[in-house]
Amino acid sequence: MDHFLYRDGVLHAEDVPVAEIAAAVGTPFYCYSTATLTRHYRLFDEALAGLDHLVCYAMKANSNQAVLTLLGGLGAGMDVVSGGEYARARAAGVPGERIVFSGVGKTRAEMRTALEGGIRQFNVESEPEMEALNEVALSLGTVAPITVRVNPDVDAKTHAKIATGKSENKFGIPIARAREVYAHAALLPGLRVVGIDVHIGSQLTDLEPFRLAYRKVAELTTALRADGHDITRLDLGGGLGIPYERSNTAPPLPVEYGAMVREELGDLGVEVEIEPGRLIAGNAGILVSQVIYVKSGEGRDFLILDAAMNDLIRPAMYEAHHDIVPLIEPAAGVEYAPYDIVGPVCESGDTFAKARQMPPLKSGDLVAFRSAGAYGAVMSSEYNTRPMIPEVLVDKDKFAVIRARPTFDEMINRDTIPVWL
Ligand code: LLP
């Protein structure tokens, strides 16, 4: 459930008519709902009730400082994957003991920053990384808490570009080698093993792959404990999917996911961490855009919007579906017709949807892409020198711009011209 609903035929973000925000900030823009972000974080927190747990929001999904401040304030930890994300989390007031550092290629500089600033744990993904972290920790006279990310060789049954738990993927160490790698870690005085990490992919719409992976992690926990390692914490990754198409069957709910976690891991006496990103932020955001032209082509009609692939790259990159709805609710019985919905960028890949059934729309009308709160703004670029679009946060009947649209001068002045030119 989200808080973008039609009221009296007009799309609202919580209690604010979305068109009112469009009039104030101009299109295109992202709009997020405080109530939805809050609700989704709490759903996970409550789903794990009874287990010692921490929900570490995967901030790669949406790392606006206002979003981080909101979630951090609710008690969320953060899953970071770069020095930049670590800096953002800290700037939003999240203490180091609630930050986990994931990622397959952490640099020594990033390790140093996190060790100096405070960190809950590093999720280490290879032996070379383990050795580097050991050296950095020793050079700072400290000990780095670690888990090792294991690759359970499980098919997450999701888009190939966001599946991470098969042996051909670059992530983690093969689970079959785990005991050997943990034995290696135990010999390194700059490291302290605290647990195991696993993440098998994103936008999973079935619990079974999670269950298979967690079962393997449970077996490994027992084996590693028998080897003498102190396994007190399991990081179970993120990945629970969201319903992008209202017409489709909905993926499992956090409460069902939580019940499965309890079934598979509840008896191990461990602290559980999860790293949801998409499910917290995805349906908490929309992308609002204006129709520039309606163009009749040969055998098809185009809706040309002022948003483009640089603003929301998911359709171009993953063939992702986003529901696109007009801000004015279509009258009952109105006739829908197929449109190719495109942006103004000079590539055919700048297509949001093909032959999408839409109600009648004309130049100047406003539309909203649903489920755009995760992996939307964070993956945007200034391709075609199109400014990064504003982000707006709504809370009941008020709204605020939480990232402003840069001016052309600001964009141009980021470049410098060498003296010899
Ligand atoms: N933990 C780790 C280690 C991850 O790599 C990811 C996502 C997550 C947690 C959060 O997964 P989530 O709960 O959001 O599914 N840009 C793609 C998604 C990439 C996901 C990458 N890793 C998209 O737009 O679909």
Side-chain angles (χ1 to χ4, degrees):
M1 192 214 137
D2 62 41
H3 293 76
F4 300 101
L5 300 172
Y6 289 112
R7 282 194 203 163
D8 300 326
V10 174
L11 191 71
H12 280 63
E14 303 194 10
D15 299 334
V16 185
V18 177
E20 212 170 272
I21 307 174
V25 307
T27 55
F29 65 93
Y30 279 102
C31 174
Y32 310 130
S33 152
T34 301
T36 315
L37 287 163
T38 305
R39 178 182 139 81
H40 289 168
Y41 165 74
R42 293 218 169 110
L43 284 180
F44 274 114
D45 197 35
E46 286 159 16
L48 296 178
L51 285 175
D52 192 4
H53 69 273
L54 182 66
V55 179
C56 295
Y57 169 60
M59 58 181 276
K60 63 169 77 70
N62 184 324
S63 53
N64 186 288
Q65 288 305 119
V67 171
L68 302 184
T69 303
L70 169 69
L71 293 172
L74 295 172
M78 298 286 155
D79 169 41
V80 310
V81 291
S82 70
E85 285 196 348
Y86 180 84
R88 276 189 176 276
R90 294 307 313 268
V94 180
E97 70 257 23
R98 278 200 258 140
I99 302 177
V100 301
F101 206 137
S102 300
V104 74
K106 300 171 205 78
T107 65
R108 286 168 189 254
E110 288 173 326
M111 293 169 178
R112 202 169 301 119
T113 304
L115 281 171
E116 284 173 347
I119 190 79
R120 181 178 181 82
Q121 94 222 7
F122 292 90
N123 295 329
V124 171
E125 298 219 15
S126 68
E127 286 176 283
E129 184 195 348
M130 224 160 74
E131 280 166 19
L133 181 58
N134 176 56
E135 282 169 26
V136 174
L138 291 178
S139 76
L140 295 172
T142 185
V143 175
I146 66 155
T147 71
V148 176
R149 177 168 174 180
V150 294
N151 185 325
D153 196 22
V154 164
D155 184 355
K157 300 199 173 69
T158 184
H159 191 283
K161 282 188 184 149
I162 53 175
T164 55
K166 285 289 285 173
S167 54
E168 68 257 29
N169 301 131
K170 68 181 175 184
F171 300 97
I173 55 130
I175 197 160
R177 286 201 54 234
R179 292 175 75 178
E180 197 184 317
V181 174
Y182 273 85
H184 182 180
L187 296 176
L188 301 174
L191 305 183
R192 180 168 53 87
V193 168
V194 295
I196 307 171
D197 172 45
V198 69
H199 171 80
I200 57 173
S202 192
Q203 186 52 19
L204 273 70
T205 52
D206 181 2
L207 287 183
E208 276 322 290
F210 285 118
R211 191 186 288 280
L212 286 176
Y214 296 170
R215 212 164 269 174
K216 291 187 180 192
V217 167
E219 283 166 18
L220 181 62
T221 303
T222 310
L224 291 176
R225 282 177 171 167
D227 290 346
H229 302 286
D230 199 13
I231 305 298
T232 58
R233 200 182 277 174
L234 300 180
D235 183 332
L236 304 176
L240 196 55
I242 63 172
Y244 278 101
E245 290 186 60
R246 299 291 144 136
S247 48
N248 281 7
T249 45
L253 301 170
V255 65
E256 296 165 299
Y257 171 85
M260 180 271 296
V261 166
R262 225 174 277 114
E263 272 167 43
E264 298 299 328
L265 306 165
D267 294 337
L268 290 173
V270 284
E271 183 181 9
V272 164
E273 295 161 352
I274 54 168
E275 302 170 348
R278 190 190 309 269
L279 204 146
I280 290 183
N283 285 335
I286 56 174
L287 164 63
V288 182
S289 179
Q290 189 169 39
V291 177
I292 311 178
Y293 299 115
V294 183
K295 170 170 158 176
S296 299
E298 236 171 278
R300 65 185 67 216
D301 292 333
F302 295 97
L303 276 184
I304 303 174
L305 304 183
D306 66 357
M309 65 189 289
N310 69 299
D311 304 311
L312 178 67
I313 205 170
R314 302 193 68 260
M317 196 151 170
Y318 315 109
E319 298 85 39
H321 175 103
H322 286 265
D323 279 349
I324 303 172
V325 298
L327 293 204
I328 307 290
E329 190 172 24
V334 85
E335 232 174 84
Y336 281 58
Y339 287 96
D340 281 10
I341 305 178
V342 301
V345 161
C346 306
E347 332 196 351
S348 299
D350 186 20
T351 298
F352 292 121
K354 289 211 152 140
R356 179 73 62 88
Q357 290 292 331
M358 296 295 287
L361 283 164
K362 57 182 188 318
S363 171
D365 285 351
L366 298 174
V367 295
F369 291 68
R370 290 191 177 275
S371 313
Y375 307 111
V378 283
M379 293 182 79
S380 60
S381 75
E382 290 180 344
Y383 186 38
N384 281 206
T385 306
R386 293 168 48 85
M388 301 275 265
I389 66 179
E391 294 174 275
V392 172
L393 182 66
V394 172
D395 185 9
K396 299 185 190 76
D397 61 354
K398 49 182 195 285
F399 69 90
V401 173
I402 56 173
R403 185 181 72 190
R405 195 190 311 274
T407 64
F408 292 140
D409 277 348
E410 282 165 347
M411 292 166 71
I412 294 166
N413 291 335
R414 268 188 242 131
D415 299 356
T416 47
I417 300 168
V419 285
W420 66 83
L421 279 179

